PDB file of all heavy atoms in Angstrom:
ATOM      1  N   ASP A  19      -2.983   0.829 -21.494  1.00 91.00           N
ATOM      2  CA  ASP A  19      -3.710   1.935 -21.106  1.00 91.00           C
ATOM      3  C   ASP A  19      -5.194   1.678 -21.233  1.00 91.00           C
ATOM      4  O   ASP A  19      -5.946   2.126 -20.400  1.00 91.00           O
ATOM      5  CB  ASP A  19      -3.342   3.125 -21.951  1.00 91.00           C
ATOM      6  CG  ASP A  19      -1.935   3.620 -21.682  1.00 91.00           C
ATOM      7  OD1 ASP A  19      -1.478   3.536 -20.497  1.00 91.00           O
ATOM      8  OD2 ASP A  19      -1.260   4.112 -22.674  1.00 91.00           O
ATOM      9  N   THR A  20      -5.611   0.984 -22.295  1.00 89.00           N
ATOM     10  CA  THR A  20      -7.005   0.590 -22.337  1.00 89.00           C
ATOM     11  C   THR A  20      -7.507  -0.203 -21.322  1.00 89.00           C
ATOM     12  O   THR A  20      -8.599  -0.086 -20.748  1.00 89.00           O
ATOM     13  CB  THR A  20      -7.180  -0.170 -23.804  1.00 89.00           C
ATOM     14  OG1 THR A  20      -6.735   0.688 -24.799  1.00 89.00           O
ATOM     15  CG2 THR A  20      -8.724  -0.508 -24.048  1.00 89.00           C
ATOM     16  N   VAL A  21      -6.713  -1.263 -20.868  1.00 90.00           N
ATOM     17  CA  VAL A  21      -7.131  -2.108 -19.775  1.00 90.00           C
ATOM     18  C   VAL A  21      -7.131  -1.281 -18.544  1.00 90.00           C
ATOM     19  O   VAL A  21      -8.130  -1.425 -17.697  1.00 90.00           O
ATOM     20  CB  VAL A  21      -6.107  -3.297 -19.660  1.00 90.00           C
ATOM     21  CG1 VAL A  21      -6.263  -4.080 -18.309  1.00 90.00           C
ATOM     22  CG2 VAL A  21      -6.173  -4.247 -20.793  1.00 90.00           C
ATOM     23  N   ALA A  22      -6.183  -0.417 -18.346  1.00 93.00           N
ATOM     24  CA  ALA A  22      -6.111   0.482 -17.122  1.00 93.00           C
ATOM     25  C   ALA A  22      -7.438   1.317 -17.086  1.00 93.00           C
ATOM     26  O   ALA A  22      -8.046   1.411 -16.023  1.00 93.00           O
ATOM     27  CB  ALA A  22      -4.910   1.302 -17.135  1.00 93.00           C
ATOM     28  N   GLN A  23      -7.763   1.983 -18.129  1.00 92.00           N
ATOM     29  CA  GLN A  23      -8.944   2.801 -18.107  1.00 92.00           C
ATOM     30  C   GLN A  23     -10.202   2.020 -17.920  1.00 92.00           C
ATOM     31  O   GLN A  23     -11.074   2.429 -17.169  1.00 92.00           O
ATOM     32  CB  GLN A  23      -9.085   3.581 -19.481  1.00 92.00           C
ATOM     33  CG  GLN A  23     -10.092   4.658 -19.501  1.00 92.00           C
ATOM     34  CD  GLN A  23      -9.933   5.641 -18.352  1.00 92.00           C
ATOM     35  OE1 GLN A  23      -9.047   6.364 -18.317  1.00 92.00           O
ATOM     36  NE2 GLN A  23     -10.992   5.726 -17.498  1.00 92.00           N
ATOM     37  N   THR A  24     -10.373   0.890 -18.617  1.00 87.00           N
ATOM     38  CA  THR A  24     -11.526   0.053 -18.468  1.00 87.00           C
ATOM     39  C   THR A  24     -11.622  -0.454 -17.045  1.00 87.00           C
ATOM     40  O   THR A  24     -12.722  -0.421 -16.449  1.00 87.00           O
ATOM     41  CB  THR A  24     -11.565  -1.076 -19.448  1.00 87.00           C
ATOM     42  OG1 THR A  24     -11.370  -0.566 -20.774  1.00 87.00           O
ATOM     43  CG2 THR A  24     -12.872  -1.968 -19.394  1.00 87.00           C
ATOM     44  N   LEU A  25     -10.574  -0.867 -16.404  1.00 89.00           N
ATOM     45  CA  LEU A  25     -10.490  -1.300 -15.059  1.00 89.00           C
ATOM     46  C   LEU A  25     -10.974  -0.246 -14.120  1.00 89.00           C
ATOM     47  O   LEU A  25     -11.741  -0.469 -13.143  1.00 89.00           O
ATOM     48  CB  LEU A  25      -9.107  -1.893 -14.683  1.00 89.00           C
ATOM     49  CG  LEU A  25      -8.985  -2.668 -13.414  1.00 89.00           C
ATOM     50  CD1 LEU A  25      -9.966  -3.872 -13.320  1.00 89.00           C
ATOM     51  CD2 LEU A  25      -7.547  -3.186 -13.250  1.00 89.00           C
ATOM     52  N   SER A  26     -10.420   0.945 -14.368  1.00 92.00           N
ATOM     53  CA  SER A  26     -10.825   2.149 -13.469  1.00 92.00           C
ATOM     54  C   SER A  26     -12.324   2.358 -13.593  1.00 92.00           C
ATOM     55  O   SER A  26     -12.956   2.758 -12.691  1.00 92.00           O
ATOM     56  CB  SER A  26      -9.947   3.350 -14.003  1.00 92.00           C
ATOM     57  OG  SER A  26     -10.415   4.484 -13.278  1.00 92.00           O
ATOM     58  N   ASP A  27     -12.868   2.237 -14.769  1.00 90.00           N
ATOM     59  CA  ASP A  27     -14.294   2.423 -15.028  1.00 90.00           C
ATOM     60  C   ASP A  27     -15.061   1.335 -14.264  1.00 90.00           C
ATOM     61  O   ASP A  27     -16.281   1.606 -13.860  1.00 90.00           O
ATOM     62  CB  ASP A  27     -14.629   2.392 -16.495  1.00 90.00           C
ATOM     63  CG  ASP A  27     -14.136   3.537 -17.256  1.00 90.00           C
ATOM     64  OD1 ASP A  27     -13.619   4.534 -16.612  1.00 90.00           O
ATOM     65  OD2 ASP A  27     -13.999   3.471 -18.503  1.00 90.00           O
ATOM     66  N   LEU A  28     -14.600   0.057 -14.148  1.00 87.00           N
ATOM     67  CA  LEU A  28     -15.215  -0.960 -13.508  1.00 87.00           C
ATOM     68  C   LEU A  28     -15.185  -0.987 -11.997  1.00 87.00           C
ATOM     69  O   LEU A  28     -16.029  -1.503 -11.343  1.00 87.00           O
ATOM     70  CB  LEU A  28     -14.793  -2.312 -14.066  1.00 87.00           C
ATOM     71  CG  LEU A  28     -15.229  -2.670 -15.420  1.00 87.00           C
ATOM     72  CD1 LEU A  28     -14.493  -3.917 -15.914  1.00 87.00           C
ATOM     73  CD2 LEU A  28     -16.726  -2.858 -15.578  1.00 87.00           C
ATOM     74  N   VAL A  29     -14.045  -0.544 -11.457  1.00 89.00           N
ATOM     75  CA  VAL A  29     -13.869  -0.565 -10.009  1.00 89.00           C
ATOM     76  C   VAL A  29     -13.799   0.919  -9.596  1.00 89.00           C
ATOM     77  O   VAL A  29     -12.905   1.699  -9.761  1.00 89.00           O
ATOM     78  CB  VAL A  29     -12.453  -1.256  -9.690  1.00 89.00           C
ATOM     79  CG1 VAL A  29     -12.283  -1.288  -8.176  1.00 89.00           C
ATOM     80  CG2 VAL A  29     -12.503  -2.637 -10.244  1.00 89.00           C
ATOM     81  N   GLU A  30     -14.799   1.248  -8.870  1.00 87.00           N
ATOM     82  CA  GLU A  30     -15.079   2.609  -8.352  1.00 87.00           C
ATOM     83  C   GLU A  30     -13.895   3.264  -7.687  1.00 87.00           C
ATOM     84  O   GLU A  30     -13.594   4.555  -7.921  1.00 87.00           O
ATOM     85  CB  GLU A  30     -16.324   2.594  -7.497  1.00 87.00           C
ATOM     86  CG  GLU A  30     -16.651   4.025  -7.112  1.00 87.00           C
ATOM     87  CD  GLU A  30     -17.951   3.978  -6.228  1.00 87.00           C
ATOM     88  OE1 GLU A  30     -18.845   3.203  -6.475  1.00 87.00           O
ATOM     89  OE2 GLU A  30     -18.036   4.877  -5.354  1.00 87.00           O
ATOM     90  N   ASP A  31     -13.108   2.609  -6.894  1.00 89.00           N
ATOM     91  CA  ASP A  31     -12.079   3.169  -6.147  1.00 89.00           C
ATOM     92  C   ASP A  31     -10.758   3.243  -6.765  1.00 89.00           C
ATOM     93  O   ASP A  31      -9.731   3.646  -6.199  1.00 89.00           O
ATOM     94  CB  ASP A  31     -11.943   2.544  -4.777  1.00 89.00           C
ATOM     95  CG  ASP A  31     -13.145   2.754  -3.880  1.00 89.00           C
ATOM     96  OD1 ASP A  31     -13.888   3.738  -4.055  1.00 89.00           O
ATOM     97  OD2 ASP A  31     -13.480   1.892  -2.963  1.00 89.00           O
ATOM     98  N   LEU A  32     -10.621   2.773  -7.996  1.00 92.00           N
ATOM     99  CA  LEU A  32      -9.351   2.752  -8.808  1.00 92.00           C
ATOM    100  C   LEU A  32      -9.394   3.922  -9.768  1.00 92.00           C
ATOM    101  O   LEU A  32     -10.304   3.934 -10.673  1.00 92.00           O
ATOM    102  CB  LEU A  32      -9.149   1.445  -9.480  1.00 92.00           C
ATOM    103  CG  LEU A  32      -8.745   0.145  -8.627  1.00 92.00           C
ATOM    104  CD1 LEU A  32      -8.638  -0.913  -9.512  1.00 92.00           C
ATOM    105  CD2 LEU A  32      -7.433   0.442  -7.979  1.00 92.00           C
ATOM    106  N   ARG A  33      -8.409   4.781  -9.645  1.00 95.00           N
ATOM    107  CA  ARG A  33      -8.392   5.909 -10.580  1.00 95.00           C
ATOM    108  C   ARG A  33      -7.223   5.734 -11.563  1.00 95.00           C
ATOM    109  O   ARG A  33      -6.057   5.424 -11.169  1.00 95.00           O
ATOM    110  CB  ARG A  33      -8.169   7.248  -9.836  1.00 95.00           C
ATOM    111  CG  ARG A  33      -9.475   7.636  -9.019  1.00 95.00           C
ATOM    112  CD  ARG A  33      -9.107   8.830  -8.280  1.00 95.00           C
ATOM    113  NE  ARG A  33      -8.026   8.457  -7.336  1.00 95.00           N
ATOM    114  CZ  ARG A  33      -7.606   9.149  -6.366  1.00 95.00           C
ATOM    115  NH1 ARG A  33      -8.154  10.380  -6.097  1.00 95.00           N
ATOM    116  NH2 ARG A  33      -6.616   8.780  -5.593  1.00 95.00           N
ATOM    117  N   TYR A  34      -7.555   5.985 -12.768  1.00 94.00           N
ATOM    118  CA  TYR A  34      -6.411   6.021 -13.804  1.00 94.00           C
ATOM    119  C   TYR A  34      -6.658   7.295 -14.649  1.00 94.00           C
ATOM    120  O   TYR A  34      -7.640   7.447 -15.277  1.00 94.00           O
ATOM    121  CB  TYR A  34      -6.677   4.783 -14.792  1.00 94.00           C
ATOM    122  CG  TYR A  34      -5.556   4.823 -15.858  1.00 94.00           C
ATOM    123  CD1 TYR A  34      -4.196   4.602 -15.537  1.00 94.00           C
ATOM    124  CD2 TYR A  34      -5.986   5.035 -17.137  1.00 94.00           C
ATOM    125  CE1 TYR A  34      -3.273   4.573 -16.533  1.00 94.00           C
ATOM    126  CE2 TYR A  34      -4.916   5.113 -18.210  1.00 94.00           C
ATOM    127  CZ  TYR A  34      -3.611   4.877 -17.871  1.00 94.00           C
ATOM    128  OH  TYR A  34      -2.602   4.925 -18.853  1.00 94.00           O
ATOM    129  N   ILE A  35      -5.612   8.151 -14.473  1.00 90.00           N
ATOM    130  CA  ILE A  35      -5.691   9.412 -15.117  1.00 90.00           C
ATOM    131  C   ILE A  35      -4.843   9.469 -16.427  1.00 90.00           C
ATOM    132  O   ILE A  35      -5.425   9.880 -17.458  1.00 90.00           O
ATOM    133  CB  ILE A  35      -5.159  10.527 -14.174  1.00 90.00           C
ATOM    134  CG1 ILE A  35      -6.009  10.581 -12.860  1.00 90.00           C
ATOM    135  CG2 ILE A  35      -5.166  11.934 -14.829  1.00 90.00           C
ATOM    136  CD1 ILE A  35      -5.484  11.347 -11.698  1.00 90.00           C
TER     137      ILE A  35
END
Side-chain angles (χ1 to χ4, degrees):
D19 293 326
T20 302
V21 170
Q23 186 58 61
T24 306
L25 192 54
S26 176
D27 293 345
L28 287 171
V29 181
E30 186 177 322
D31 294 334
L32 286 175
R33 290 174 301 189
Y34 179 69
I35 300 167

